[in-house]
Amino acid sequence: MSIQDQVAEMQQRALGELETASDLVALDEWRLKYLGKKGELTGFLRSMGSLPAEERPVVGQVVNAARKLLEEADGLRQTRLQAIALDQRLAADRVDVTLPGRPVETGRVHIITRTMREIESAFKAMGFQVAEGPEVELDFYNFEQLNMPPGHPARSMHDTFYFSESVVLRTHTSPNQIRVMEKQKPPIRVIVPGKCYRSEATDATHDFMFYQVEGLAVDRNVTLADLRGTLTDFARRLFGAERKVRFRCDYFPYVEPGVDLSIDCMLCGGKGCRVCKYSGWLEILGAGMVHPQVLRNVDIDSEKYSGFAFGMGPSRIALLKYGIDDIRQFFRNDLRFLEQFA
Ligand SMILES: [Zn+2]
């Protein structure tokens, strides 16, 4: 067989094999076999040395034509295989946008925080500002300025944590009312939310740490009717517009007269149930007209100005509003409990 025929045969075989090269690795092998330095095509060029001089140019032409053809076919095949490889990779990596997303666990606002915010927004809507004060407090603000000098019997109602004789953990948020009145002259309309501490044995309705929201309004001609109107409005904003309210006399050393506010039990509609202890009424806060001595203590003229004050426990409000039976649940951090109040 002439060299020309051998080249033609090799070219046919190479093109046939190229068709079966199914991926880029196979294509590399194919290229080495035919077009590489030790490939078949180069082999023909090497063998040219043994040919007669006049045949060499002809054979050289044939070999070069075959190389050009095979290189072109190689380029086309490579483009095709790269496209196939890309398609395969895209198919394997494809994101299924129809898959449902993984739910993101978000936290919830704690039920006490939520209740505090509800209380705050009810009073803000009536023009009250929010003021916060220190939890570690001077005896002077916690008791003395609130009409409870040393030895006053009302002090025994507060089981106090003492740091020293003159420094306590505040037993109520009222001391901050004094701080507000020291800094600000009437008219004053402020509520004071925050944590308080008492050295109590814990049970279903008492804890040694609890929240309180107190409020204070001082201006000319503030009367018990203003107290009634403001607190009635508050109770209805929080517990529903249809609530009945009841005020009764109560005693707190820094108010005169003092009252407590009850609403008709929304669980039994006033008929009587376990929560309202079969009375039909739920007590939600204590209040009263600010004692003139308390005003004088902060240099507010009690002849010109009068005011009312009130205080409530957000824990108790939440207990009543959501029908919870143990105050200690609030701070056990049991998610099964807390997640119910989404
Ligand atoms: Zn009831």
Side-chain angles (χ1 to χ4, degrees):
M1 209 195 308
S2 71
I3 285 193
Q4 285 93 325
D5 288 344
Q6 288 176 37
V7 170
E9 181 275 328
M10 185 274 299
Q11 184 180 301
Q12 277 310 109
R13 188 156 40 82
L15 289 173
E17 281 180 29
L18 187 62
E19 283 303 305
T20 64
S22 58
D23 57 28
L24 291 167
V25 176
L27 185 63
D28 282 342
E29 286 167 8
W30 176 89
R31 196 176 296 124
L32 275 179
K33 183 176 174 188
Y34 292 103
L35 299 171
K37 276 181 190 160
K38 292 177 184 169
E40 292 192 25
L41 207 57
T42 318
F44 284 116
L45 291 175
R46 286 215 187 89
S47 66
M48 269 164 58
S50 59
L51 293 174
E54 66 275 14
E55 282 185 31
R56 287 180 199 166
V58 182
V59 173
Q61 263 182 356
V62 171
V63 171
N64 280 335
R67 174 179 294 279
K68 194 168 174 249
L69 189 127
L70 290 183
E71 281 176 352
E72 274 173 14
D74 175 27
L76 289 173
R77 187 72 187 154
Q78 183 168 4
T79 307
R80 174 87 192 109
L81 288 177
Q82 279 170 341
I84 290 171
L86 181 64
D87 283 347
Q88 283 172 344
R89 211 165 59 235
L90 287 176
D93 289 352
R94 195 171 62 190
V95 174
D96 183 352
V97 294
T98 65
L99 274 178
R102 296 186 186 90
V104 179
E105 276 293 321
T106 53
R108 297 168 169 79
V109 174
H110 192 281
I111 182 172
I112 292 294
T113 305
R114 203 168 110 184
T115 306
M116 301 271 282
R117 288 183 184 172
E118 285 174 20
I119 294 169
E120 284 175 21
S121 65
F123 282 107
K124 278 183 190 165
M126 292 187 277
F128 282 73
Q129 291 182 313
V130 178
E132 287 179 353
E135 290 173 25
V136 177
E137 187 54 280
L138 295 170
D139 180 286
F140 177 74
Y141 286 108
N142 197 76
F143 292 119
E144 276 185 53
Q145 287 290 75
L146 288 160
N147 227 14
M148 289 179 276
H152 192 285
R155 282 192 177 215
S156 62
M157 288 157 59
H158 297 231
D159 299 305
T160 312
F161 287 113
Y162 282 91
F163 285 98
S164 68
E165 211 171 310
S166 59
V167 179
V168 301
L169 268 178
R170 70 178 176 196
T171 57
H172 47 181
T173 46
S174 313
N176 207 39
Q177 299 183 7
I178 302 295
R179 290 178 176 276
V180 168
M181 285 191 286
E182 274 182 347
K183 280 185 243 135
Q184 196 183 329
K185 291 302 151 196
I188 294 169
R189 268 183 286 180
V190 70
I191 57 166
V192 183
K195 292 191 197 100
C196 310
Y197 304 84
R198 292 191 193 185
S199 175
E200 297 203 53
T202 61
D203 61 29
T205 53
H206 297 87
D207 211 340
F208 56 83
M209 189 279 285
F210 55 96
Y211 282 85
Q212 228 176 32
V213 179
E214 301 228 353
L216 174 73
V218 180
D219 203 348
R220 289 172 193 272
N221 304 319
V222 173
T223 68
L224 196 62
D226 296 308
L227 178 157
R228 259 193 79 115
T230 305
L231 296 181
T232 300
D233 192 37
F234 163 73
R236 290 181 178 157
R237 279 174 194 266
L238 217 69
F239 289 99
E242 70 283 8
R243 289 275 74 76
K244 286 184 206 142
V245 296
R246 183 183 73 179
F247 290 86
R248 290 190 308 185
C249 285
D250 202 343
Y251 170 74
F252 308 99
Y254 35 95
V255 291
E256 177 58 39
V259 295
D260 65 44
L261 165 56
S262 300
I263 54 174
D264 60 325
C265 177
M266 59 275 182
L267 299 168
C268 63
K271 286 191 203 72
C273 68
R274 190 178 58 83
V275 174
C276 61
K277 301 199 178 80
Y278 303 97
S279 70
W281 294 95
L282 300 167
E283 189 183 325
I284 60 167
L285 59 83
M289 300 307 292
V290 180
H291 197 291
Q293 185 58 47
V294 174
L295 293 177
R296 286 195 288 273
N297 287 349
V298 290
D299 291 330
I300 290 176
D301 186 344
S302 63
E303 297 294 319
K304 277 196 205 154
Y305 294 103
S306 53
F308 64 85
F310 51 89
M312 70 195 83
S315 310
R316 177 167 171 78
I317 302 255
L319 284 184
L320 298 175
K321 202 167 169 182
Y322 299 102
I324 299 158
D325 57 7
D326 191 333
I327 207 164
R328 291 168 294 189
Q329 290 280 14
F330 290 131
F331 302 113
R332 271 188 191 142
N333 290 331
D334 183 340
L335 287 178
R336 291 167 304 176
F337 170 77
L338 296 172
E339 281 175 349
Q340 296 173 56
F341 309 100

